[in-house]
Amino acid sequence: MTFYLSMFVIMETLHHIIKTVMKSSFVLSPKKHSIQRFTFLFLSCFFYGLIRISAQNQSLKTYTKDNGLPSVHINNVAQDNTGYIWLASNKGLVQFNGKEFTSFTTKSGLISNHINTVFSKGNTLFIGTNKGISIKNHHGFTNFESNNINCFLTVKNHTFLGTNKGIVRVREDYLSPLRTNFQIDLNQINDMLFDGNFYWIATNKSLWKLDKLINPEVLKRIDVNNYTSILINGKTIVATTYNDGLKFIVNEEVNTQTITAQNVTNIKKINDQFWIISEDNGIEVLDANFNFVRNINKYNTLTTNKITSAFQDNENNTWISTKDSGIYFIKSDQPVQKKPTISFKNIEVVFTSLDSIDINNYHKTLKLPADKNHLSFYYKTININNLNKLEYRYTLNNQTSPWSTKSAIDLAYLSPGNYRFAAQSRIGKTESTPIEFNFFIDTPIYKKSWFIWSGIGLTSLILTLIIWFYIRRIQAKNKAKVAKLELENHLISLEQKALQLQMNPHFIFNVLNGIKALGNSGKLAELNTTISKFATLLRGVLHNSRQEEISLTEEIATLKNYIELEQQINSNTFEYSITTNLGIDAEEILIPPMLIQPFVENSIKHGISSVENGKITVNFSVKKNLLHCEIIDNGIGVYRSKEFKKISPHKSVALKVTQERIQNLSKKSAFSISELYDEGRVTGTKVVFEIPLNTDF
C-alpha cells in the first residue's frame, strides 16, 4: 500500500504541474500549445495506467454476492473479541470468519433484516435496525422495539442508543427513553461520544455537550448544524457536518476547516490518518495535521463512490463498506502481531448446548449429574491474515494434547470428579491466553460411600431379618410340633383316663355283685344276659381303646350295653332312649371312642339317682357339618348335684376329662351344661356338645 500511496502523490504532483503549464499555454504558439496538450495527455494516461496496475497489485479484495454476501448494501462493520467480522446489511446480519459468510435474519431471531449499525462489547453484539435493537449473545437474540437506531455508546456498563427521536437507554429487559430537552429528544441522533468528563451528542440540528445523560446539570448547545459524526483527537473534539466541512471544538470554541467532500456521514481514524466518508463522493483522506493526502473513489481505487463506513480491524486491515458494491478489504502491509484471542463457540453436554449460562464468562464450577458425562467443547480464534497458520491444543486437568488444526474435542464417558478444561491457540510461536471451563461430574449414586454403606447395612438387616424369621419359623414349627405332641399326649392321657373312668373298680365291683346276686337267687336267664352284656361291654371297651376313631354305631352299641348294665345293678329304676337324626348312615360317622359314656354315667349317679321314674335321653343330629349331641335327664339338676359331690368323699373327674377331650378335638368344638326349668322348678340337666362331622368317605 506504500507504493500505491507514493504513486498517488506523484500523480497529484504531476497534475499540479500540468495545470500550471496549461495556464501559461495561452501565451504560447499554437504549435507549442498542441505539443503541451499531447504531453499532458500522454503523461496522464501513463500515470493513470501505472496507478491502476499498482492498485491491482495491492492486497485489495472485493466481497460481493459472488462470495456469499446476502446483499451488496453494507451499512457498517464491527469486530468482536474472538475476531469475527460483523457486517450490517439491508438483508440481515452477516458474520465473516475470513473464509465464509454466515447470515442471520428474522428467521434466526432478528427484529428486522434492515441493519443500520452493529456494535461489539465483548462477545455481545448490539444490532441497530430500523425497527429497534437486537442483542446477540450465546443464548441467541433478544429484541426490543424502538425508532430507527443510528449509533451506540457504552459508558460504565451502560449502553445508550441514538435513534431518530432522541436517546434510549438499554435496560436488562426493556428500553428506557431519556429526557434531556425537546431539541435532543425529538431530533435524529447521528453520533454520541464520551470524552471522560462530558457527553457529546451530534444531532441533525446541533452539537450538544452534557455532563450526564440522565438528569443532566450541564446541557449546552455548542453549534447549530447537521452534525453527522464525532471523534476525539487529543484534547480536541473533531466533528463532521453533512455539507459544512470539519468542526474542531476546543473549550467550546468551534473552528471550521473546509474540505472538498460533500454529503459527509462519518469520520474514522485509520493508520494515523483521518478518513472523511461521503455518501456519494468516496473517501477524502487527511493526514495527522488534517492536510489533504488523497481521495479514494471510483476514479482511482474503488468501483463506487457510495461509501457507508470504514473500519480498521485488530490486525490493521481496513474494511470499506458501500451501498452498492459490497465490501472492500485492504490487507495491511504492516500487520500488527498481536496475541491471538480464543473463545468458546459452544459447549455441549450429551449433545445439548449449554444455553443457560454464559460459557465465556462462567467462573464457577458447573455441577453435572453422573449420567451427564459426555461433553463436547468447540473453540475458535479468528485471524484474517493467518487463517492457515492457526493451531489449537487443549488441557484436561494435567493432560495436554499436541498442537493441531482441530478446534473441537469430544470427551466421552468421563469418570466422576472435578475437571478443569483449558483451550489455547497459537499463530507461529505466539500463543493466546488459555480459556478455562471448570465442571464437576457427580459420582453415581450406587458408587457413593453412603449408598454403599447403606446398602451393606440394608443387606445385613435383610439377611438378619431373613435368618431371624427363619429361626422363628423353625421355632414356631418346633413349637407347633411340641404343642401337637403335647396335645396328642394329652388326648391319649385323657382317653386312658376315660377308659380308666369307664372301667373303674367300683363299676366292675357293682356289676360282679349283681351277677353274684342273680346267681344266688337262681335267676339263670337274667344271669346269662347280664354276663353276656358285661362281656360285650368289656370286649367293646378293650377294642375301642386301641382305635383313635370308631363309628357312631359302635359308640351307640357300647353305650346301650353300659346303660342296660346300670339298669340292672342300680337300685332305682330308670328309662333311657337313644335317637338319631343324621341324614346319613351312623356307620359312616366317626367319633373318638368313649366320648358320651361319662355324661350318661354322671346323669345316672348324680342326676336321677334320687328321683323316681328317672329318664335319660341321648339325641344325635348333624347341623352345618357338625355332629350335635344332647344328653338330657330329669334329675335334680347340675348345681344341686355339685353340692352333693362336695359332701361326698368320692371326687369324680370324668366330666372334666371328657369336656377337655371335646374342646381339644377342634377349634370348632363346643360344649355346654345347663339346667332345665318348668315353671321355675328344676326339671333336669341338659349337656350339649358339638364336634366337627367326620366320615369315613
Side-chain angles (χ1 to χ4, degrees):
M1 193 171 185
T2 303
F3 175 73
Y4 168 75
L5 295 178
S6 300
M7 293 305 299
F8 191 81
V9 172
I10 293 172
M11 184 62 186
E12 291 290 332
T13 304
L14 177 62
H15 179 65
H16 179 72
I17 294 171
I18 292 173
K19 284 176 67 178
T20 304
V21 173
M22 287 297 292
K23 286 181 181 180
S24 62
S25 65
F26 293 102
V27 297
L28 298 176
S29 64
K31 185 176 181 180
K32 291 183 178 180
H33 180 71
S34 299
I35 293 172
Q36 289 174 347
R37 280 183 174 275
F38 175 77
T39 303
F40 170 74
L41 291 174
F42 173 77
L43 292 175
S44 297
C45 292
F46 173 77
F47 282 106
Y48 180 75
L50 189 62
I51 290 171
R52 295 297 293 181
I53 293 172
S54 172
Q56 292 173 5
N57 290 331
Q58 300 305 309
S59 299
L60 176 66
K61 184 175 178 60
T62 306
Y63 293 99
T64 63
K65 288 184 177 180
D66 295 336
N67 306 103
L69 277 177
S71 170
V72 293
H73 185 162
I74 308 298
N75 291 316
N76 192 238
V77 185
Q79 188 175 31
D80 63 21
N81 278 2
T82 304
Y84 286 104
I85 298 296
W86 295 90
L87 309 177
S89 81
N90 66 340
K91 292 186 179 180
L93 180 68
V94 183
Q95 181 195 64
F96 184 53
N97 64 2
K99 287 185 178 180
E100 57 187 5
F101 294 95
T102 303
S103 296
F104 300 89
T105 63
T106 52
K107 293 182 179 180
S108 309
L110 279 172
I111 194 172
S112 172
N113 286 335
H114 190 93
I115 314 298
N116 297 325
T117 182
V118 59
F119 169 72
S120 173
K121 179 184 176 184
N123 282 308
T124 299
L125 285 180
F126 294 86
I127 305 147
T129 76
N130 62 334
K131 293 183 180 180
I133 182 175
S134 293
I135 302 174
K136 184 182 185 303
N137 51 32
H138 66 283
H139 297 296
F141 291 95
T142 303
N143 298 319
F144 301 101
E145 292 185 1
S146 177
N147 292 312
N148 189 78
I149 296 173
N150 303 310
C151 59
F152 293 98
L153 175 64
T154 297
V155 178
K156 297 178 181 178
N157 294 324
H158 298 298
T159 300
F160 301 94
L161 312 178
T163 74
N164 278 1
K165 286 189 178 181
I167 303 171
V168 175
R169 181 182 178 186
V170 180
R171 299 280 191 172
E172 184 175 352
D173 52 1
Y174 66 97
L175 299 182
S176 174
L178 301 185
R179 297 291 177 255
T180 53
N181 67 13
F182 74 94
Q183 292 175 308
I184 296 177
D185 298 342
L186 299 179
N187 286 327
Q188 177 178 311
I189 309 299
N190 292 323
D191 202 3
M192 297 183 291
L193 180 69
F194 181 66
D195 65 7
N197 295 308
F198 293 96
Y199 293 87
W200 298 84
I201 309 299
T203 76
N204 61 334
K205 301 292 185 181
S206 307
L207 179 67
W208 295 84
K209 178 182 177 182
L210 294 79
D211 64 335
K212 294 181 292 185
L213 292 180
I214 303 172
N215 301 320
E217 296 177 3
V218 176
L219 197 160
K220 188 172 183 179
R221 183 167 60 187
I222 303 301
D223 188 34
V224 176
N225 212 314
N226 184 359
Y227 279 85
T228 56
S229 66
I230 320 167
L231 63 77
I232 299 175
N233 185 38
K235 295 182 179 180
T236 303
I237 301 297
V238 181
T240 59
T241 61
Y242 193 67
N243 280 319
D244 196 22
L246 295 179
K247 302 292 182 178
F248 300 93
I249 300 95
V250 180
N251 297 326
E252 299 181 2
E253 291 186 5
V254 181
N255 295 308
T256 302
Q257 176 175 319
T258 303
I259 55 177
T260 59
Q262 296 295 307
N263 303 334
V264 176
T265 59
N266 212 333
I267 181 171
K268 296 288 185 179
K269 191 173 183 179
I270 297 176
N271 292 328
D272 294 326
Q273 294 178 331
F274 296 93
W275 288 30
I276 312 300
I277 298 166
S278 169
E279 282 185 337
D280 48 21
N281 296 134
I283 301 172
E284 183 174 339
V285 182
L286 307 179
D287 63 14
N289 296 317
F290 294 93
N291 296 316
F292 176 82
V293 175
R294 69 189 187 280
N295 287 318
I296 302 176
N297 51 41
K298 66 180 181 180
Y299 302 109
N300 51 45
T301 308
L302 311 177
T303 60
T304 181
N305 280 345
K306 295 182 178 181
I307 311 302
T308 56
S309 180
F311 175 77
Q312 190 171 35
D313 64 23
N314 57 18
E315 299 173 54
N316 279 357
N317 303 311
T318 303
W319 303 80
I320 301 173
S321 59
T322 71
K323 280 188 177 181
D324 56 5
S325 299
I327 188 164
Y328 291 93
F329 169 72
I330 303 174
K331 186 175 181 180
S332 174
D333 54 2
Q334 294 180 344
V336 177
Q337 297 298 325
K338 291 184 178 179
K339 179 187 293 187
T341 302
I342 188 172
S343 62
F344 289 113
K345 287 180 60 180
N346 192 18
I347 299 177
E348 293 180 350
V349 177
V350 194
F351 309 107
T352 301
S353 296
L354 280 177
D355 294 331
S356 58
I357 62 173
D358 185 353
I359 56 178
N360 284 295
N361 293 290
Y362 192 75
H363 304 297
K364 300 178 182 179
T365 298
L366 181 66
K367 306 292 184 180
L368 297 173
D371 59 336
K372 305 296 184 182
N373 62 344
H374 186 150
L375 279 77
S376 302
F377 291 88
Y378 302 86
Y379 35 88
K380 193 70 175 178
T381 291
I382 300 297
N383 190 286
I384 302 297
N385 295 335
N386 298 283
L387 285 175
N388 298 323
K389 297 181 181 179
L390 281 169
E391 292 183 308
Y392 302 90
R393 70 177 179 184
Y394 71 89
T395 300
L396 185 65
N397 289 347
N398 296 321
Q399 296 182 349
T400 302
S401 70
W403 291 100
S404 71
T405 58
K406 188 178 179 181
S407 60
I409 184 66
D410 285 329
L411 303 174
Y413 306 109
L414 293 172
S415 302
N418 284 295
Y419 289 91
R420 171 186 168 272
F421 180 87
Q424 194 175 18
S425 64
R426 74 176 181 181
I427 301 173
K429 294 183 179 180
T430 306
E431 299 179 359
S432 70
T433 301
I435 52 174
E436 295 183 4
F437 188 85
N438 297 302
F439 60 97
F440 170 76
I441 298 177
D442 198 6
T443 304
I445 189 170
Y446 60 85
K447 290 186 178 181
K448 292 187 176 181
S449 57
W450 67 266
F451 182 85
I452 294 173
W453 286 110
S454 299
I456 293 173
L458 182 60
T459 303
S460 301
L461 178 61
I462 293 173
L463 289 175
T464 302
L465 290 175
I466 291 173
I467 294 171
W468 183 74
F469 279 115
Y470 180 74
I471 294 173
R472 287 289 302 273
R473 186 177 178 182
I474 292 175
Q475 289 176 342
K477 286 184 178 180
N478 293 336
K479 187 175 181 181
K481 288 180 180 179
V482 171
K484 183 178 180 181
L485 292 174
E486 289 178 349
L487 178 61
E488 291 176 352
N489 183 59
H490 184 61
L491 289 175
I492 292 172
S493 175
L494 291 176
E495 290 173 357
Q496 291 176 347
K497 289 181 179 179
L499 178 61
Q500 293 174 357
L501 290 172
Q502 284 186 321
M503 296 300 295
N504 62 69
H506 180 70
F507 172 74
I508 295 173
F509 177 75
N510 288 337
V511 172
L512 292 176
N513 282 337
I515 291 173
K516 180 181 178 180
L518 290 173
N520 293 332
S521 61
K523 298 178 179 180
L524 297 177
E526 291 182 10
L527 176 64
N528 291 331
T529 301
T530 302
I531 293 173
S532 177
K533 288 181 180 181
F534 184 59
T536 302
L537 178 63
L538 289 176
R539 185 171 60 252
V541 170
L542 292 174
H543 176 266
N544 293 343
S545 64
R546 299 187 185 98
Q547 308 295 322
E548 292 184 1
E549 294 177 329
I550 62 173
S551 67
L552 182 59
T553 300
E554 292 176 321
E555 179 71 6
I556 292 173
T558 303
L559 185 62
K560 284 182 179 180
N561 285 331
Y562 170 73
I563 295 175
E564 290 175 359
L565 285 173
E566 285 284 1
Q567 284 179 324
Q568 291 181 1
I569 64 176
N570 203 302
S571 59
N572 294 328
T573 61
F574 65 89
E575 298 178 356
Y576 81 94
S577 65
I578 298 176
T579 62
T580 59
N581 184 22
L582 303 173
I584 58 176
D585 192 350
E587 186 69 29
E588 297 176 349
I589 298 175
L590 302 177
I591 65 172
M594 300 168 286
L595 194 62
I596 302 168
Q597 184 269 339
F599 300 111
V600 174
E601 180 185 3
N602 190 69
S603 295
I604 294 172
K605 291 183 178 181
H606 304 290
I608 62 174
S609 60
S610 58
V611 298
E612 294 181 359
N613 301 320
K615 186 176 181 179
I616 297 174
T617 303
V618 180
N619 299 319
F620 294 98
S621 62
V622 175
K623 298 179 181 179
K624 297 180 180 180
N625 292 323
L626 294 173
L627 179 63
H628 185 84
C629 180
E630 294 180 348
I631 299 97
I632 302 172
D633 65 55
N634 61 347
I636 61 176
V638 63
Y639 298 114
R640 188 174 178 186
S641 66
K642 285 182 179 180
E643 293 178 358
F644 287 139
K645 288 179 183 179
K646 292 178 181 179
I647 299 173
S648 173
H650 176 70
K651 302 294 181 180
S652 175
V653 294
L655 192 63
K656 182 178 179 181
V657 170
T658 307
Q659 181 179 348
E660 288 184 15
R661 286 185 68 198
I662 292 172
Q663 290 175 344
N664 285 308
L665 287 176
S666 172
K667 293 181 180 180
K668 295 181 180 180
S669 300
F671 176 85
S672 65
I673 298 178
S674 60
E675 290 184 338
L676 301 176
Y677 294 89
D678 183 15
E679 296 181 355
R681 182 175 59 85
V682 176
T683 59
T685 301
K686 182 178 181 181
V687 176
V688 180
F689 69 85
E690 292 177 341
I691 60 175
L693 180 64
N694 187 15
T695 62
D696 63 354
F697 59 85

